[in-house]
Amino acid sequence: MTANLSETLTLLLIEDDDGDAFLVEELLKEAVAPPRIFRARSLSEARRKLTPEIQCVLVDLSLPDASRLEALEEVIALAPYTAVLVLTGLRDVHVGVTAVQAGAQDYLVKGDVEARLLARSIRYAMERKRADVAQLKLVQAELTAKENARLESALLPDPLLRTQEIEHVTRYLPGSGGTLAGDFFDTVQTPDGSVHLVIGDVCGHGPDEAALGVALRIAWRTLVLAGQTGDTLLRTLDALLRAERQAPEIFTTLCTATISPDLRHATMRVVGHPPPVLVRGGTVEVVDGTPSGPPLGIFPDAAWSVIDVPLGDDWSMMLYTDGLIEAAVHEPGRLLGVDGLVELVRAHGVIDLDGLIRHVGTLSDDLAVVMLRRRRM
């Protein structure tokens, strides 16, 4: 009777008994498309032959160098995405149940196997494995999404602003890979009326970088609320970065701004970060004198110069991470850049974050933007 294997598969048969191996090979020859069969007579031999091209493993539970479920457990560990079918001469249903509980997709007793049953069992085992892997990936994706949501909430907090004279707008978009990176920002108004702002970018992508961004943002807010600003704040963040980072090459760029209580003047430190964009009295420009110094985490004795920025009565300020200026625009390979960003703002006449984001194309990196605008009261 013809077995129901309609495409050529590649199988690994782990069986030390030549007679049993011959029987399995003969039964599978009756398939519509007989599979390619590699054979291993021991677990140690199977380790060498268990390559990525193997689509299903048929494993005996009695091998010379493995007992009972030992062989099954190692095969599953070596090939976690490959279907495994247990073949044994043990007429014990408990062994079969235990094998399935240990991760096998099916269980067959050698003496009860015929061609159609064997072919069908292999096909079903592969389909079950595909379903198991798809379910695992779905669960992992859901867990990643939940973790990203928690990290995003910590990276992108609500501002602590009391004044009604400042409009505060933020945007955050993940890069094309959907992986959360270490972009972060925060805004805090201290009791004297000063408004403090930070935006930063931990190099790299992934949960470690995102968690480091969370730590730096919370540390920044804590230091500002404690009255620490300027170089003292930056050196403390630098020490924290060095203590918490996973590798010595991890660095962080950031930009800090402190707006005076009368909202007419700002002091900035641009720490290896893209320059802020200002609109003052209808004129669009980038902040002069940038950068103030190198990123955090590179030079232990770094210093950062202060940039004084007169604001006046009518102004808007935009701080952003490099995901914005490194976004592709128009034709592939052309990036927005700082000059392109300034031209876009000029074309709009105001800093319109949604308009800017609609203009850019594929994001290669996370994009974070903070805009402050003085309201005319």
Side-chain angles (χ1 to χ4, degrees):
M1 190 172 291
T2 302
N4 187 26
L5 284 176
S6 57
E7 63 182 72
T8 302
L9 303 176
T10 302
L11 312 179
L12 175 63
L13 174 62
I14 309 175
E15 172 62 73
D16 64 320
D17 187 282
D18 291 337
D20 289 339
F22 176 78
L23 175 62
V24 170
E25 291 168 351
E26 288 299 306
L27 291 174
L28 291 176
K29 285 181 181 178
E30 300 181 30
V32 173
R36 296 174 61 207
I37 303 175
F38 294 92
R39 183 187 170 196
R41 291 175 170 78
S42 65
L43 183 57
S44 59
E45 186 179 353
R47 294 189 189 104
R48 299 192 300 272
K49 295 186 176 181
L50 196 52
T51 62
E53 67 177 326
I54 301 298
Q55 296 167 279
C56 183
V57 179
L58 286 71
V59 57
D60 182 21
L61 290 185
S62 299
L63 295 173
D65 56 349
S67 60
R68 288 294 178 106
L69 297 180
E70 182 181 350
L72 172 63
E73 291 169 350
E74 180 153 350
V75 167
I76 292 173
L78 291 172
Y81 301 109
T82 303
V84 180
L85 182 64
V86 167
L87 290 172
T88 182
L90 301 173
R91 292 183 176 274
D92 186 347
V93 69
H94 298 295
V95 174
V97 171
T98 303
V100 172
Q101 289 174 340
Q105 276 63 60
D106 208 345
Y107 170 84
L108 293 174
V109 177
K110 296 176 184 177
D112 297 338
V113 175
E114 47 89 20
R116 180 180 292 274
L117 175 61
L118 179 57
R120 187 172 66 241
S121 295
I122 292 172
R123 179 64 64 193
Y124 286 178
M126 293 178 63
E127 292 303 322
R128 291 189 193 103
K129 189 62 179 182
R130 288 192 186 101
D132 290 345
V133 170
Q135 179 64 27
L136 178 60
K137 289 181 178 178
L138 177 61
V139 170
Q140 290 173 337
E142 291 175 347
L143 291 174
T144 299
K146 290 179 180 178
E147 184 62 23
N148 281 350
R150 286 193 292 270
L151 287 171
E152 277 190 39
S153 177
L155 284 166
L156 317 175
D158 293 328
L160 297 181
L161 277 174
R162 301 187 311 277
T163 180
Q164 299 299 311
E165 293 186 63
I166 287 184
E167 178 185 359
H168 183 275
V169 183
T170 65
R171 295 291 184 270
Y172 172 81
L173 292 174
S176 57
T179 303
L180 195 66
D183 292 13
F184 61 92
F185 54 74
D186 204 352
T187 304
V188 170
Q189 188 171 18
T190 46
D192 65 352
S194 298
V195 176
H196 305 267
L197 173 67
V198 68
I199 190 164
D201 185 1
V202 179
C203 72
H205 298 82
D208 288 339
E209 289 75 14
L212 184 53
V214 171
L216 291 171
R217 186 203 65 76
I218 294 174
W220 178 88
R221 175 175 282 205
T222 303
L223 289 165
V224 169
L225 291 174
Q228 297 297 321
T229 57
D231 280 4
T232 301
L233 181 149
L234 292 177
R235 290 193 181 98
T236 304
L237 293 181
D238 183 79
L240 175 65
L241 170 66
R242 295 173 187 275
E244 297 293 331
R245 62 188 176 185
Q246 298 295 312
E249 63 270 15
I250 298 295
F251 63 88
T252 298
T253 69
L254 55 83
C255 178
T256 66
T258 298
I259 302 169
S260 61
D262 64 4
L263 307 182
R264 295 177 54 84
H265 185 270
T267 56
M268 294 186 180
R269 287 172 173 80
V270 182
V271 183
H273 201 78
V277 173
L278 295 176
V279 180
R280 293 180 290 191
T283 301
V284 182
E285 58 191 312
V286 296
V287 172
D288 291 331
T290 59
S292 302
L296 301 180
I298 296 181
F299 302 112
D301 56 350
W304 300 274
S305 60
V306 179
I307 304 171
D308 291 310
V309 184
L311 296 176
D313 295 321
D314 181 14
W315 57 267
S316 300
M317 176 190 304
M318 179 172 65
L319 281 64
Y320 54 92
T321 56
D322 58 9
L324 178 60
I325 56 176
E326 292 178 358
V329 291
H330 304 304
E331 65 271 13
R334 181 187 171 193
L335 305 183
L336 179 61
V338 175
D339 291 340
L341 177 60
V342 170
E343 289 304 316
L344 276 180
V345 175
R346 286 176 180 156
H348 284 88
V350 295
I351 298 176
D352 175 7
L353 297 192
D354 291 329
L356 291 174
I357 291 172
R358 282 195 300 269
H359 184 84
V360 302
T362 302
L363 299 177
S364 60
D365 196 357
D366 281 22
L367 179 158
V369 190
V370 181
M371 190 279 295
L372 272 65
R373 178 184 291 118
R374 186 174 185 183
R375 289 192 177 104
R376 296 179 180 178
M377 304 301 288

